[in-house]
Amino acid sequence: MEHNTLQGVIFDLDGTLLDSTGVWAQVDRQIFAHYGKPAPTGITEIVRKMSIGESSRYFVDEFELPCTPDALKRLVSEMAAQAYFETLPLKPHVIQLLDWLDNKGIHYGVATATYGELAEAALKRHGIWNRMQFLLTEQEIGASKTDPQIFREGAKRLHLGRRQIAVAEDSLHAVETAKQAGFFTVGVYDPVSDGDWEKMKATATVHVTDLWDMRRFF
């Protein structure tokens, strides 16, 4: 079967390795409260597919926030920082899975929409930073995960072909992008994305509700 050739993994961070997706809905509400405006219904879902740069421009332009997109990006980072530096836990069985992958000689890295400094802080706090082959962010790449560029760059960092790599994601749009680009995709369940789960199961190459189950595909 196809998955017998897998030799590497590109992990998403939020909602896949880190139990953190709920933080961003809180931050979205805090942004509007900071500027004395009510948070629009469903705003987190609206910006889910956007990069940080795109969502910052959208907030400023669409809702006429009295700041620049760059200033808003800094504010958002500050609002989310404490959670990443101090409190956010890993999803269940992350350490066990990474131990298993290490024992199999399977290399892996992270591709995330999150600010690089926040992602790095969380990975270091949990003692897994040095185990990653790379950390790629949408800001660094210059495109969101609706574009396959971040996954292609991850493949280069792993020195593997796309058919040799599992892309593990909890976001439907990222799974769709990676699959269309020819990667083996693992849909990872996260409660925040529960509404997309049935479509995720139909779209991803395989799907898991617990990361530990990824062992079956190597």
Side-chain angles (χ1 to χ4, degrees), residues 36-159:
K37 294 176 179 283
T41 301
I43 187 61
T44 300
E45 289 302 316
I46 292 172
V47 301
R48 183 181 295 276
K49 296 182 182 182
M50 299 180 188
S51 68
I52 290 171
E54 290 169 342
S55 62
S56 296
R57 289 190 294 274
Y58 176 77
F59 279 132
V60 171
D61 294 343
E62 183 70 16
F63 303 103
E64 299 181 338
L65 299 184
C67 64
T68 65
D70 284 343
L72 184 60
K73 284 193 290 184
R74 291 192 294 271
L75 176 62
V76 170
S77 179
E78 292 167 3
M79 288 178 170
Q82 182 178 9
Y84 282 84
F85 277 82
E86 299 179 12
T87 62
L88 290 175
L90 293 173
K91 295 286 285 284
H93 303 121
V94 167
I95 297 297
Q96 293 93 323
L97 177 63
L98 298 186
D99 287 345
W100 187 86
L101 293 173
D102 289 344
N103 287 334
K104 294 276 289 184
I106 295 169
H107 293 165
Y108 45 85
V110 168
T112 182
T114 297
Y115 297 81
E117 63 271 21
L118 301 189
E120 181 177 341
L123 293 170
K124 285 182 174 177
R125 178 166 55 84
H126 286 293
I128 58 177
W129 169 252
N130 290 332
R131 301 171 73 164
M132 301 295 163
Q133 296 295 304
F134 57 82
L135 169 64
L136 292 172
T137 68
E138 290 182 345
Q139 304 96 288
E140 176 185 353
I141 296 298
S144 73
K145 287 183 180 178
T146 58
D147 185 304
Q149 188 174 348
I150 195 168
F151 302 119
R152 290 171 177 161
E153 181 60 29
K156 290 179 183 178
R157 303 286 180 96
L158 290 171
H159 305 290

Side-chain angles (χ1 to χ4, degrees), residues 14 19-34 37-48 59 76 79-80 83-84 88 114 190-193:
D14 295 301
D19 192 1
S20 53
T21 46
V23 168
W24 294 102
Q26 296 175 17
V27 169
D28 290 339
R29 291 192 294 270
Q30 289 170 358
I31 290 169
F32 286 95
H34 180 81
K37 294 176 179 283
T41 301
I43 187 61
T44 300
E45 289 302 316
I46 292 172
V47 301
R48 183 181 295 276
F59 279 132
V76 170
M79 288 178 170
Y84 282 84
L88 290 175
T114 297
D190 187 72
V192 173
S193 304

